[in-house]
Each structure stands twice: as C-alpha cells, then as structure tokens.
Amino acid sequence: MIIMDEQTKAASRIKNEETVASLKDKLGRSKAVVLTDQSGLSVSLAGELKKKLKSVDAESVVAKNTLIKIASKELGIEFPEESLNGPTAALFAYSDEVAPLRELATFAKTNEKPTVKAGLLGTTILSVERVAQLAKLPTKDVLHAKVVGSLASPLYGIVGVLNGNIRNLVYTINAIKDQKSNA
C-alpha cells in the first residue's frame, strides 16, 4: 500500500481545483455540451477528432466524472447520473451549437466511436436521441437561406400580381390604339 505524503495530496487537490475551474469556465462559455464515452478510441483518432472540432470552434476534454459533476453542479447543471459513469470526454461548442454535434456524429458514424452519453443545450439537458436530432439539422447558412426564401416568396407573388395588372392595362391601351388607328 502506497501512502501519499502531504505534498502529493496538496498538489493533487490543487490540480483538481484547477481542472474544476477550467471545466466551469468551458461550461459557462459553451452554447452546447455533449458528454461522450471515448473508450476504445485510439490516440490518433482522438487527435483527428480534436482537429475537426477545433475547425468548428469546439473542443473535447477528457476529465474525471467527479470533477465534471462538481463543475456542473456549481453552475446549476444536473447531468443524468448514468452519463457520468465510465470514461468521459466533454465536447464544448463555443460559437455554433449544431456544427460541432454534426462533426461528432459524422466522426462517430465513420469510426463507431465515441458514443454520446448526454447533452446540454443552453440550460436544457438533452437525451442521446435529442443530440442525434440536433446533429441532423442543416447548417446555419442553409437555415438562413430557407428563412429568407420563405420571406421573399410572398413578395415575388405580389410583384407578379402587380405586374400582371400593369401588363393587362398596357394590352388594353394597345388594343384601343389599334382600334382607333384601324378606324
């Protein structure tokens, strides 16, 4: 049995406190968080995932479940108990809520790892199914284009109707002109 001396215990406690502070900061800044099980994921694949997440302003951090639980409770977040069992990595999405989830889903589909345990969107806890649904949403640009198209569509209809009335008036005037010139 190894007995830890007081310095080692103090150093471990300080490191844990720093990790909790870092997790709280990341949780506070994140628009979305996903807890995943990365067991069985090789180091090279984990590195590849981190690169893909970084490209969409997100990051994945492996942390002890107890530290994630402490950090989240201090912010008033209650992840489901079963999501904080086994090896856990937390994905933090900073600028876009959906793009990192889409990257994670694509990566997991290709590599069969990691598996989603739970999610957080704003202050709402998400089930595995809800995280999967969010990952299937189109990009923000596509959604913006759909909204603009929906707003512009009635305007095009109004313009068409108004042009039709003007066109009919021109046809009528031309018909009257033609009648008078033939008479």
Side-chain angles (χ1 to χ4, degrees):
M1 183 164 115
I2 300 174
I3 299 174
M4 296 173 77
D5 65 349
E6 292 302 315
Q7 280 184 324
T8 308
K9 285 181 184 177
S12 178
R13 184 179 48 77
I14 290 170
K15 184 178 181 212
N16 286 344
E17 287 172 357
E18 289 171 352
T19 301
V20 167
S22 173
L23 288 169
K24 279 176 56 178
D25 174 58
K26 293 174 190 311
L27 280 166
R29 290 187 297 134
S30 298
K31 292 186 174 187
V33 178
V34 177
L35 300 180
T36 62
D37 179 354
Q38 288 189 290
S39 60
L41 192 65
S42 70
V43 174
S44 62
L45 285 176
E48 185 181 324
L49 176 60
K50 284 186 180 225
K51 280 184 196 173
K52 289 182 183 225
L53 292 175
K54 189 173 185 178
S55 72
V56 289
D57 194 25
E59 69 176 313
S60 180
V61 176
V62 177
K64 292 180 181 179
N65 290 323
T66 54
L67 300 181
I68 293 172
K69 188 184 287 188
I70 291 168
S72 60
K73 277 191 177 181
E74 287 182 12
L75 292 174
I77 301 166
E78 293 279 337
F79 285 110
E81 195 64 38
E82 65 274 5
S83 67
L84 292 170
N85 290 325
T88 303
L91 179 152
F92 299 101
Y94 297 118
S95 58
D96 186 349
E97 299 87 347
V98 178
L101 303 182
R102 198 175 311 107
E103 283 294 331
L104 177 68
T106 303
F107 186 86
K109 189 175 185 181
T110 305
N111 300 292
E112 298 179 8
K113 298 276 183 208
T115 56
V116 174
K117 293 178 170 186
L120 175 73
L121 182 63
T123 57
T124 306
I125 300 295
L126 304 173
S127 66
V128 174
E129 295 79 22
R130 292 293 290 161
V131 172
Q133 286 175 338
L134 284 174
K136 292 178 185 174
L137 286 176
T139 64
K140 276 188 176 181
D141 291 339
V142 170
L143 290 174
H144 288 167
K146 285 182 178 184
V147 168
V148 169
S150 296
L151 293 174
S153 180
L155 295 176
Y156 289 125
I158 290 172
V159 168
V161 168
L162 293 176
N163 279 340
N165 289 337
I166 291 171
R167 201 175 314 115
N168 288 339
L169 178 63
V170 169
Y171 290 148
T172 305
I173 291 173
N174 277 337
I176 292 171
K177 180 185 89 167
D178 288 344
Q179 250 182 356
K180 287 190 177 189
S181 66
N182 289 336

